[in-house]
């Protein structure tokens, strides 16, 4: 309905645009801001242009959406906290993550409040949550630091990238955070040189256990 109101000034799209409209909303994961941006772009566009826009959405965020959704207006501490959640801590207990951030001098209480106020994160049952599209945006910010060389990014969360960096022991000068989620019962031997090359390690993260009760220990 939101997309149709923006594009067609009606509560429902014309029949020939109905399937494409559903696909657009599916690709935005229902994020209202993304729907508004895409709706403004798609207004008065032909069916062919809609199909091209959908194809581009599936490949990568459009520059316009990315620029409007990115995290301008956050201070340096909040800009550290936001990608931490997107890359590592979504679904983790807020009490655990808050203690971690305090140990890194990131002042989490104010930062968390700002991210909640900006609708970038929520807290449910004591755990950090984030819309799928917001998470992908946070990860895209990190990916764009070095599109071709993961070892030149601040953060690594894909298993294959982490495994390559740790076993080869190269390309870790910039990496300060990584998530290790082994495919049990796989045995992996790390290169000690990989850790030596990490000049400013901050996070070496093992994902949370789903059965963990976050509400029983609020701090």
């Amino acid at each position: 309905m939101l997309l149709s109101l923006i594009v067609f000034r009606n509560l429902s799209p014309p029949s020939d645009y109905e399937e494409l409209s559903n696909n657009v909303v599916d690709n935005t994961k229902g994020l209202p801001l993304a729907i508004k941006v895409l709706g403004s772009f798609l207004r008065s566009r032909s069916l062919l242009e809609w199909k091209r826009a959908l194809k581009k959405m599936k490949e990568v965020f459009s520059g316009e959406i990315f620029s409007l959704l990115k995290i301008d207006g956050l201070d340096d501490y909040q800009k550290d906290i936001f990608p931490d959640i997107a890359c590592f801590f979504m679904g983790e207990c807020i009490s655990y993550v808050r203690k971690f951030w305090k140990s890194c001098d990131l002042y989490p209480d104010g930062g968390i409040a700002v991210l909640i106020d900006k609708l970038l994160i929520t807290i449910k049952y004591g755990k950090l949550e984030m819309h799928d599209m917001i998470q992908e945006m946070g990860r895209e910010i990190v990916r764009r630091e070095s599109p071709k060389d993961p070892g030149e990014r601040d953060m690594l969360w894909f298993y294959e990238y982490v495994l390559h960096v740790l076993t080869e022991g190269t390309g870790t000068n910039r990496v300060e955070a990584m998530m290790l989620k082994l495919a049990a019962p796989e045995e992996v031997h790390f290169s000690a040189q990989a850790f030596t090359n990490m000049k400013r390690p901050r996070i070496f993260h093992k994902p949370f256990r789903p059965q963990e009760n976050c509400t029983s220990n609020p701090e």
Side-chain angles (χ1 to χ4, degrees):
M1 288 177 63
L2 176 61
L3 179 67
S4 185
L5 282 170
I6 293 170
V7 180
F8 305 110
R9 311 293 193 209
N10 206 326
L11 290 177
S12 59
S15 58
D16 51 344
Y17 282 87
E18 186 172 355
E19 183 178 354
L20 286 170
S21 296
N22 289 330
N23 289 336
V24 168
V25 175
D26 286 343
N27 276 278
T28 64
K29 308 294 184 181
L31 190 65
L33 179 56
I35 291 174
K36 290 178 182 178
V37 172
L38 278 171
S40 298
F41 172 77
L42 293 171
R43 189 184 299 132
S44 301
R45 304 276 181 171
S46 67
L47 282 170
L48 180 59
E49 288 173 309
W50 275 59
K51 292 176 181 178
R52 287 173 178 169
L54 273 170
K55 184 176 184 296
K56 186 175 182 180
M57 283 177 66
K58 292 176 181 178
E59 294 173 353
V60 67
F61 286 133
S62 76
E64 185 178 6
I65 294 175
F66 187 81
S67 65
L68 286 179
L69 292 182
K70 66 181 180 181
I71 55 176
D72 290 338
L74 302 183
D75 66 25
D76 290 340
Y77 298 114
Q78 294 150 13
K79 286 181 179 180
D80 282 334
I81 288 175
F82 176 73
D84 280 358
I85 300 172
C87 297
F88 304 111
F89 294 142
M90 194 169 81
E92 284 282 11
C93 291
I94 183 63
S95 56
Y96 160 73
V97 181
R98 183 185 285 116
K99 290 177 182 177
F100 165 78
W101 281 326
K102 285 182 178 178
S103 71
C104 297
D105 297 322
L106 289 179
Y107 307 101
D109 293 330
I112 291 169
V114 170
L115 294 179
I116 291 175
D117 184 61
K118 288 180 175 289
L119 305 179
L120 292 171
I121 65 169
T122 58
I123 298 176
K124 295 182 179 178
Y125 305 108
K127 296 182 179 181
L128 287 163
E129 299 292 343
M130 177 181 282
H131 194 286
D132 290 348
M133 194 169 189
I134 298 294
Q135 182 185 36
E136 288 304 315
M137 177 190 71
R139 292 184 169 188
E140 178 69 3
I141 291 171
V142 176
R143 190 193 71 80
R144 290 189 181 196
E145 294 173 352
S146 178
K148 295 183 178 180
D149 185 359
E152 292 299 317
R153 301 172 193 166
D154 288 346
M155 300 179 174
L156 297 176
W157 60 92
F158 283 124
Y159 170 70
E160 291 81 4
Y161 294 160
V162 174
L163 190 62
H164 174 76
V165 166
L166 290 180
T167 54
E168 296 296 325
T170 58
T172 56
N173 290 330
R174 180 164 177 171
V175 176
E176 65 177 60
M178 59 177 63
M179 178 169 66
L180 184 63
K181 186 177 181 181
L182 293 176
E186 184 175 356
E187 181 176 320
V188 178
H189 298 277
F190 298 148
S191 166
Q193 187 63 36
F195 295 97
T196 301
N197 290 339
M198 292 178 68
K199 305 301 183 183
R200 48 176 185 168
R202 187 167 62 89
I203 301 174
F204 191 72
H205 182 57
K206 177 182 178 182
F208 78 106
R209 294 173 297 175
Q211 70 271 19
E212 186 176 4
N213 184 353
C214 295
T215 58
S216 62
N217 183 20
E219 182 59 53

